[in-house]
Amino acid sequence: MKTLINKILKLLPKVYGSSIFKTESCKSGFMIKCCHDLYNTSNPMDAEVNFQIGGAECDEAILTWKDTGKLLSETEAQKYWDATIWTDKPADQLKFEDFLFISNRDEDACKSITIDGTGYMGSFLTDYDCDFSKAEEFEKLVSDALPKKQVYLDESYFRSFIRIQEWA
């Protein structure tokens, strides 16, 4: 099992880059935890600029001057983004969240290992139906890393997970 977990840890940066991962042993398997918030950010222009999220998909940054309420021009907005200062967070400030749960299963005389995406972030890797899904890419990476195993998405039990088992 540890060999499998190490292989998965090596694959994760390919589908979930710029994050760090750690593994914890649990009563019924292993939990891979993820920390994706690695940096503190600051911007000296924050004293003069309001930052809001908007747009139809709530994915647009709306930058306005605090004193006038007017939108920043394209040049001013670029100056704002360029002024952002990124610094590494100290290790004691990193917060890890449950990400992937890996466990052995023995159901109906079918022994397998499952990878369950947990929480908001991990579900992107095991659920084809969620927005921003990377399940297909992750499943292929796991399959390529385990050529002697059968790897597939199992959507039984009212949730999705990746099942790994010996070829029949």
Side-chain angles (χ1 to χ4, degrees):
M1 180 73 94
K2 291 221 181 226
T3 301
L4 171 67
I5 291 169
N6 287 331
K7 286 183 178 187
I8 291 170
L9 287 170
K10 288 178 184 175
L11 298 174
L12 288 174
K14 295 177 182 177
V15 289
Y16 217 88
S18 66
S19 295
I20 57 175
F21 306 93
K22 69 179 183 178
T23 306
E24 292 181 2
S25 180
C26 308
K27 181 179 174 183
S28 55
F30 291 88
M31 181 65 72
I32 295 178
K33 294 185 168 259
C34 174
C35 179
H36 65 278
D37 188 15
L38 304 176
Y39 305 100
N40 288 318
T41 60
S42 61
N43 191 317
M45 289 181 68
D46 282 342
E48 306 165 40
V49 175
N50 289 315
F51 175 90
Q52 294 178 311
I53 300 293
E57 301 291 323
C58 293
D59 61 352
E60 294 177 32
I62 300 172
L63 302 172
T64 57
W65 292 109
K66 286 184 178 181
D67 60 351
T68 64
K70 292 183 180 179
L71 287 172
L72 274 66
S73 69
E74 197 172 314
T75 303
E76 293 166 330
Q78 187 59 52
K79 182 179 175 187
Y80 175 83
W81 295 121
D82 290 344
T84 302
I85 300 167
W86 298 80
T87 55
D88 291 340
K89 279 189 176 178
D92 64 340
Q93 290 182 9
L94 297 176
K95 294 183 179 139
F96 286 84
E97 299 176 34
D98 291 352
F99 190 63
L100 295 173
F101 182 67
I102 302 168
S103 62
N104 286 310
R105 292 222 177 149
D106 189 358
E107 299 162 342
D108 303 324
C110 177
K111 292 183 180 189
S112 64
I113 296 171
T114 60
I115 304 171
D116 292 284
T118 62
Y120 178 71
M121 298 183 309
S123 62
F124 292 136
L125 298 183
T126 60
D127 187 351
Y128 279 88
D129 294 329
C130 69
D131 291 342
F132 311 110
S133 174
K134 293 196 171 234
E136 185 174 356
E137 183 180 352
F138 184 59
E139 181 186 344
K140 180 170 180 1
L141 287 169
V142 173
S143 183
D144 291 348
L146 303 170
K148 295 181 180 177
K149 305 282 185 188
Q150 181 181 20
V151 178
Y152 60 94
L153 184 73
D154 188 329
E155 295 184 295
S156 57
Y157 307 107
F158 305 105
R159 61 191 165 92
S160 300
F161 55 90
I162 292 177
R163 187 180 292 269
I164 302 166
Q165 61 190 55
E166 297 295 330
W167 284 100

